[in-house]
Amino acid sequence: MIASWLIAAGLQAASPATPWRPEGVSSDQFESHPAPDPLTGDLYFVRSAPNFSGWRILVSRCAGGRLMAAEPAPFSGAGVEADPYFAADGRRVYFISSRADPPAKTGDDLDIWMVERGAEGRWGAPARLPAPVNSPAAEWFPRSDGRGGLYFGSGRDGGFGQTDIYHAVPEAGGWRVENVGGTVSTADDEYEFEPSRDGRFAVLMSEGALFRLERSGSSWGPRQPIGTGLAGLHVGPTLSPSGRTLLFAARDGARSGELFRIGEGETWPASCGGGGGERG
């Protein structure tokens, strides 16, 4: 059942977001884009400078019911990296990276990469997804559609705005990529699109704000703003498997960027950092 905060008109009836500051994660830097490991309880996330630059993917290990001091993710490379996302079975992570992949690319372009975890728990070598998923422009925030495809943001030519949301569907011998259009991709900048596990709704980040959209047949309904009680940039929306809890990052007054949580009826992430070990 979808939580009432997601079905309230305009989401304005929701309680304000509450800070989520587990030890080992929260710092005087900007933490964002949480990705709980469904197999280990570890938390992968992005840490950047307070001005939201210089993104790096870190992991805080779950030990003794607590999240430990963060360290670089085992698949980290050179350049900037962000937007980690676990497949539902925990065996694959998608992320974006500016690491070079000669002869396909060099420089600062952000592309979507994938890394797989073997049965022994070790991560393999990351692989850059091919065109047309990646393009000469930047790609952002890869997320599963639950059917083998991916949603992601891209600033490639031919969109409705500077950055739009695209849908990549695997086909024999490659991928078919389409602009989602409709209420999702507009003249505004749309960077991040997080569909619920059951596909009934999604959370969209556009121009730094979060919106909820319901699925309507093969399209998406009108945007409804999510009332978080916070001002400024909102990034990295991450839904729990049930869709009843939303994690995201925003500035916390005079503090740097912090993780926040909206939801009811569940403690998630539950294995580590869901209760004890949090900072006030």
Side-chain angles (χ1 to χ4, degrees):
M1 180 177 179
I2 300 175
S4 61
W5 72 269
L6 284 171
I7 61 176
L11 307 184
Q12 299 300 333
S15 299
T18 57
W20 188 64
R21 305 185 188 119
E23 271 190 274
V25 177
S26 182
S27 74
D28 60 356
Q29 302 299 294
F30 199 126
E31 282 78 43
S32 65
H33 297 81
D37 187 331
L39 299 183
T40 67
D42 299 343
L43 183 74
Y44 289 72
F45 66 96
V46 173
R47 179 175 288 162
S48 53
N51 67 356
F52 198 51
S53 66
W55 313 312
R56 299 297 301 160
I57 299 176
L58 304 182
V59 57
S60 183
R61 303 291 184 186
C62 177
R66 300 174 69 87
L67 289 170
M68 300 292 101
E71 59 190 48
F75 48 80
S76 292
V80 294
E81 298 186 321
D83 301 358
Y85 175 77
F86 275 89
D89 63 3
R91 299 296 181 186
R92 176 178 293 187
V93 166
Y94 295 93
F95 63 100
I96 61 172
S97 175
S98 68
R99 69 179 74 187
D101 181 27
K105 66 174 281 293
T106 58
D108 297 328
D109 175 32
L110 286 161
D111 284 334
I112 298 172
W113 290 66
M114 180 273 294
V115 60
E116 293 184 318
R117 177 161 51 187
E120 76 291 348
R122 294 180 180 273
W123 292 104
R128 177 180 175 270
L129 270 61
V133 176
N134 285 310
S135 73
E139 276 68 52
W140 308 91
F141 207 73
R143 290 294 186 269
S144 171
D145 67 359
R147 304 182 302 277
L150 289 174
Y151 288 104
F152 62 94
S154 179
R156 65 189 63 195
D157 292 339
F160 299 103
Q162 297 182 53
T163 306
D164 284 348
I165 304 300
Y166 290 81
H167 187 205
V169 178
E171 295 184 325
W175 294 79
R176 171 172 52 85
V177 175
E178 298 176 342
N179 194 312
V180 176
T183 59
V184 176
S185 296
T186 69
D188 294 335
D189 269 351
E190 291 88 18
Y191 285 90
E192 301 176 341
F193 187 77
E194 168 82 347
S196 64
R197 191 70 62 85
D198 61 14
R200 294 173 61 186
F201 70 96
V203 176
L204 171 71
M205 190 275 269
S206 176
E207 301 285 358
L210 299 180
F211 301 86
R212 168 189 152 276
L213 299 87
E214 286 189 28
R215 186 85 181 187
S216 178
S218 60
S219 60
W220 297 91
R223 300 182 184 190
Q224 299 184 25
I226 296 177
T228 67
L230 301 166
L233 178 69
H234 291 52
V235 294
T238 303
L239 288 164
S240 65
S242 71
R244 294 186 297 175
T245 302
L246 174 68
L247 292 177
F248 65 96
R251 295 196 182 278
D252 186 9
R255 298 173 66 103
S256 63
E258 301 283 347
L259 295 174
F260 287 84
R261 180 163 50 192
I262 299 177
E264 60 179 35
E266 67 177 346
T267 300
W268 180 83
S271 57
C272 265
E278 295 187 17
R279 297 175 179 173

